[in-house]
Amino acid sequence: MSTVDELRTQIQQAAAHGHAGLCRGLAARLWHSTPTLAAAGFLAKTLPGSSAASTWPSRRVFMLRSFTVEPIIPALVAEGLAAGVVFDVTVGDFNAYSQELLDPSSRLYEADPDVAILALQTRDIAPELWAGTATSQSAYAAAVERVTAELSTLVEAFRSRSARPLVLHGLDLPVQTADGIGDHQRAAGQINAVREINRRLVELAGGTSDVYVLDYDRLVSRHGSDRWYDERLWASARLPLSTGLMPALAGEWARFLFATGPALAKVLVCDLDNTLWGGVIGEDGIEGIVLGENEQTCPYLRTQRAILDLYDRGIILAICSKNNPDDALQALERHERMLLRPHHFAATRINWIDKPVNLAEIATEISVGLDALVFLDDNPVEREHVMQHAPEVRVLDLPDDVQQFADCVRRFPLFERLRLTAEDRERGAMYAQQRCRDELQRSTASVEDYYRSLGMRMQVDPVGSDTMARASQLTQKTNQFNMTTRRYTEAEIAAFAAADGHHAWTVQVADRFGDNGIVGLLIVEAGPKEWRIDTFLMSCRVIGRTVESAMLAWLVERARAAGVTRLVGEFVPTKKNAPAAETFAGHGFVPAGQAGTASRWVFELDHGTIRAPEWIAILEPEVQPT
Amino acid sequence: MNAAPQDLVARVIEVAADVLGVAATALTADSSAESVEAWDSISHLNLMLAVEQATGTRIEPEQMVELTSIGKIADAVLKLQSQ
């Protein structure tokens, strides 16, 4: 039996036995080794609906398109399944994207998908630029204006009718120009006109919440336009690209679908020997391990640079290595060419314990689920072992060639982030501060003394244009201390902030070790006498420091000042939010009924109040909300 | 015209079962766009592309529309492979 047949059999068995993690890992292996239409079809018929995939998140996608995309959809579904996500894709009518975006009662708005993709290409939307058939330079300039105006109208129409993210194709540069190399000498030639449209699209997206541009031209050029385009399929089926490259486009779409939803992967757990450096530190010693002089030519340094870039993107790093800790730490601290240093890692397990055990501990230490971990190890035996025994962990399918490690790390789709908030940029430093807090806690006698010595300060501010992205991100990512787990897009948060009947506040916490940034969010539906708490969440970064008490105390004061007499809270249990379950009861809220699994809680302001913990100073915002 | 050998028919059935999302055991050489519900015009294009990919052949667009049964596809592939 061939490897592919074996893999298929294993996937069928894992699917039937409900082995979710193994199923995902095997699906990734099959799809990445054999990205064919048949493999995509096999995964699409085997996994969705199986008991293994029943716990996987799903994303409803609407494809608006100017060309035939149907044969690419199975590949898109396979990309999702290989990452443990079920994409439920609806394809809009052929070349009907304008009507579908403009008509408020179209299938698009009726479907209300989690995310919409507008798949366009130059030969459809700007045929004169693609074919070079314009008779004058001014006609090219006119095409730029026409296309930009058309797409602005469509994007604005979508944003006024839907709060969902929209992903928009940029345009591909013409392969041939009517004037040959002369074309490129003019700003208003075919090539530069398309570039100008792309530049304006980036501006358009940047100025609209939750609209993103897929750089279609760069995707084409990465694979080569000669291989990308298929004139035979274009002529007969309006399918512009060759069969072999359909997975490449599907993969790029999938990146955006992952990045516009809740973050699925948050932590990269790195092995050391033969992964971050060449050789074995315990045998070769600090002088003997391989770390070349030049970052351009040393594959290990390139891998380290790729990992450091993820760190700067807000991905949390950890180490899981079989070594004597002293040997390994010496290399991390002292080797002059290391780019990664101990302070970059939020958790470290350097020992001889089984890796799945270490991985579980790392997840607990960082306060994330095991399924948020991504495991990087050069050793295929370790990778297989982790897949078998810690199936929730995502395992990077590293190639044998060490030269490709860095690219493999960079290409991992679940570490893509579309908007970086200040908190993302600072996340690594925050984990270093957290280690200082943990040490303080260990050295303090009582938990109250620990709280007092932290010197916590909390500030609550109305959500503003500069904090909407972070507010939305918190609703997308916070699973543990989250009363209702309602996920909101930036546009929805903006609507709350602007609406008369709602208030939305961000909560920022700092202490003597540093600023935790915005770590809490409160959204209330504000009636004249009653405020209903729609969203009350807190990042795991500050769980266990009584910040929730300070938030509720602040909210009570604010409600009182507004003449409100009662607060209504809601708790919707999920698999992950047990840490928040007792909060309302613990602060004097009274149970007021159930709706399904959700419970309702009431706090009468006339009957009592909630005091902020003495160890948290509540700072007034600089500008009061109106 | 020579009929395609059994292993080629089996290969086409395997690919068609994946693309159409049905069990391979439910298909025979006689299965066609009329007899298989999932075999519609959209999945026909997917099937043609998948067969090309799996057999390393190139089916001309004019021919694609005629290949509406497993047997016809296998015969066409055999012919293309022997050219």
Side-chain angles (χ1 to χ4, degrees):
Chain A
M1 222 166 35
S2 75
T3 328
V4 171
D5 289 337
E6 269 170 44
L7 264 174
R8 289 169 62 122
T9 310
Q10 286 171 2
I11 290 169
Q12 281 166 332
Q13 286 166 354
H17 290 106
H19 207 324
L22 186 61
C23 214
R24 187 185 61 205
L26 293 167
R29 197 176 291 175
L30 174 70
W31 178 243
H32 296 141
S33 65
T34 327
T36 60
L37 275 161
F42 167 76
L43 291 172
K45 77 171 172 183
T46 311
L47 296 182
S50 73
S51 64
S54 62
T55 55
W56 292 0
S58 75
R59 300 269 288 151
R60 290 176 309 111
V61 186
F62 197 99
M63 293 289 316
L64 300 144
R65 46 48 181 280
S66 69
F67 53 86
T68 300
V69 297
E70 283 80 351
I72 317 172
I73 302 303
L76 177 61
V77 172
E79 287 286 336
L81 295 171
V85 182
V86 180
F87 290 148
D88 177 0
V89 186
T90 307
V91 178
D93 289 335
F94 182 80
N95 207 13
Y97 59 90
S98 289
Q99 299 92 298
E100 284 166 336
L101 282 161
L102 293 173
D103 176 5
S105 59
S106 70
R107 279 171 68 209
L108 165 66
Y109 299 115
E110 204 170 298
D112 189 28
D114 294 320
V115 52
I117 296 178
L118 175 51
L120 294 171
Q121 56 172 356
T122 306
R123 71 201 310 176
D124 296 329
I125 195 167
E128 68 270 57
L129 291 177
W130 181 258
T133 49
T135 47
S136 69
Q137 294 298 305
S138 61
Y140 290 140
V144 172
E145 299 302 329
R146 190 196 76 236
V147 171
T148 336
E150 187 180 327
L151 289 174
S152 307
T153 307
L154 295 179
V155 166
E156 281 161 24
F158 180 78
R159 192 34 78 241
S160 69
R161 276 152 213 181
S162 168
R164 305 299 189 172
L166 175 68
V167 178
L168 170 72
H169 270 213
L171 300 193
D172 41 342
L173 295 189
V175 180
Q176 301 298 345
T177 54
D179 286 348
I181 56 176
D183 177 82
H184 184 253
Q185 313 312 314
R186 292 183 297 270
Q190 278 173 265
I191 294 289
N192 285 320
V194 173
R195 287 207 170 108
E196 174 62 14
I197 292 174
N198 283 337
R199 195 189 61 74
R200 293 193 195 181
L201 290 186
V202 172
E203 275 180 9
L204 170 68
T208 319
S209 65
D210 251 351
V211 175
Y212 308 98
V213 181
L214 183 157
D215 190 345
Y216 187 60
D217 185 65
R218 191 156 153 268
L219 179 67
V220 173
S221 62
R222 204 162 70 230
H223 295 277
S225 56
D226 290 351
R227 290 177 55 222
W228 187 271
Y229 298 107
D230 189 316
E231 295 306 322
R232 177 186 69 124
L233 295 175
W234 173 249
S236 61
R238 284 292 179 262
L239 181 59
L241 70 162
S242 60
T243 311
L245 285 167
M246 294 188 320
L249 179 53
E252 199 72 4
W253 286 340
R255 275 170 202 280
F256 282 82
L257 299 184
F258 296 138
T260 51
L264 295 166
K266 300 174 186 173
V267 184
L268 180 66
V269 186
C270 309
D271 170 52
L272 296 176
D273 291 332
N274 289 317
T275 302
L276 295 193
W277 55 65
V280 177
I281 186 73
E283 288 168 16
D284 303 322
I286 193 164
E287 311 294 329
I289 57 171
V290 179
L291 272 178
E293 284 175 45
N294 188 331
E295 219 182 288
Q296 303 293 325
T297 52
C298 171
Y300 300 103
L301 284 180
R302 281 195 290 118
T303 306
Q304 289 198 29
R305 177 63 66 189
I307 295 170
L308 204 52
D309 285 345
L310 293 182
Y311 172 88
D312 287 335
R313 205 185 279 179
I315 306 303
I316 303 162
L317 305 182
I319 293 174
C320 182
S321 163
K322 284 188 175 155
N323 260 310
N324 292 322
D326 292 347
D327 297 341
L329 282 171
Q330 194 194 17
L332 280 164
E333 279 162 11
R334 309 232 179 94
H335 197 294
E336 56 175 354
R337 290 186 191 139
M338 284 290 291
L339 299 173
L340 291 164
R341 296 294 183 189
H343 73 264
H344 291 117
F345 297 94
T348 302
R349 290 292 180 282
I350 304 172
N351 52 39
W352 298 95
I353 297 170
D354 196 37
K355 289 203 174 186
V357 176
N358 278 326
L359 289 167
E361 283 189 18
I362 288 170
T364 307
E365 182 172 337
I366 303 176
S367 311
V368 296
L370 207 48
D371 59 357
L373 302 190
V374 178
F375 180 63
L376 172 71
D377 197 316
D378 68 294
N379 185 341
V381 177
E382 291 285 8
R383 296 204 298 266
E384 188 69 33
H385 187 63
V386 167
M387 257 176 72
Q388 293 285 346
H389 298 279
E392 295 86 350
V393 175
R394 291 165 208 272
V395 177
L396 272 186
D397 212 0
L398 277 186
D400 294 334
D401 179 8
V402 62
Q403 297 290 351
Q404 295 174 36
F405 283 12
D407 279 350
C408 184
V409 169
R410 288 186 188 282
R411 271 202 308 265
F412 184 65
L414 300 184
F415 284 150
E416 294 283 9
R417 301 289 184 262
L418 283 162
R419 289 244 198 282
L420 286 180
T421 62
E423 282 73 18
D424 293 326
R425 297 275 185 205
E426 294 301 316
R427 184 164 298 123
M430 287 178 188
Y431 275 92
Q433 294 160 12
Q434 187 57 39
R435 279 199 304 278
C436 299
R437 283 185 201 103
D438 293 344
E439 273 159 39
L440 173 68
Q441 184 166 17
R442 276 194 289 275
S443 66
T444 345
S446 75
V447 69
E448 283 80 10
D449 285 347
Y450 164 62
Y451 292 148
R452 275 186 204 100
S453 56
L454 273 177
M456 283 183 273
R457 304 178 298 279
M458 180 180 98
Q459 180 164 328
V460 187
D461 293 290
V463 172
S465 55
D466 52 337
T467 53
M468 267 166 211
R470 173 61 179 166
S472 162
Q473 184 187 55
L474 278 171
T475 69
Q476 300 286 349
K477 289 171 65 167
T478 309
N479 297 316
Q480 297 184 78
F481 196 98
N482 194 337
M483 293 297 166
T484 51
T485 320
R486 296 194 174 111
R487 314 290 191 190
Y488 292 125
T489 63
E490 267 184 71
E492 286 166 330
I493 296 281
F496 281 130
D500 272 347
H502 283 87
H503 297 297
W505 292 285
T506 55
V507 176
Q508 190 169 352
V509 173
D511 63 24
R512 61 184 265 210
F513 293 109
D515 191 347
N516 286 286
I518 293 174
V519 287
L521 182 69
L522 285 164
I523 300 174
V524 300
E525 190 188 311
K529 291 289 159 200
E530 179 178 293
W531 279 8
R532 191 181 64 80
I533 306 171
D534 174 274
T535 294
F536 172 21
L537 65 80
M538 204 171 71
S539 158
C540 59
R541 208 182 283 165
V542 291
I543 285 182
R545 280 193 253 157
T546 70
V547 172
E548 68 278 18
S549 302
M551 285 170 73
L552 281 175
W554 180 89
L555 187 64
V556 163
E557 283 315 303
R558 174 50 57 106
R560 215 185 282 286
V564 167
T565 57
R566 93 196 317 211
L567 286 176
V568 179
E570 214 185 325
F571 179 74
V572 185
T574 66
K575 265 189 196 162
K576 292 183 172 172
N577 72 352
E582 301 303 318
T583 308
F584 285 130
H587 290 83
F589 281 67
V590 183
Q594 290 280 131
T597 56
S599 54
R600 199 163 166 269
W601 299 80
V602 166
F603 189 89
E604 301 288 352
L605 272 69
D606 296 340
H607 298 177
T609 195
I610 298 174
R611 282 187 207 295
E614 45 151 319
W615 42 76
I616 299 183
I618 301 181
L619 308 180
E620 283 307 311
E622 279 157 30
V623 184
Q624 288 293 324
T626 50
Chain B
M1 192 164 75
N2 290 333
Q6 275 310 306
D7 59 338
L8 181 55
V9 173
R11 183 82 190 100
V12 173
I13 285 180
E14 201 178 303
V15 171
D18 284 344
V19 173
L20 302 174
V22 299
T25 49
L27 299 176
T28 67
D30 294 331
S31 301
S32 69
E34 283 83 50
S35 67
V36 181
E37 201 193 334
W39 194 332
D40 57 19
S41 60
I42 288 167
S43 55
H44 184 71
L45 176 60
N46 294 5
L47 178 56
M48 290 298 112
L49 299 176
V51 167
E52 285 187 336
Q53 193 172 45
T55 59
T57 52
R58 203 162 222 254
I59 306 168
E60 284 312 311
E62 305 77 54
Q63 201 182 2
M64 283 187 182
V65 291
E66 294 161 10
L67 302 183
T68 50
S69 77
I70 299 287
K72 286 180 188 168
I73 297 171
D75 290 344
V77 168
L78 180 68
K79 206 168 158 197
L80 287 166
Q81 282 176 334
S82 57
Q83 271 169 7

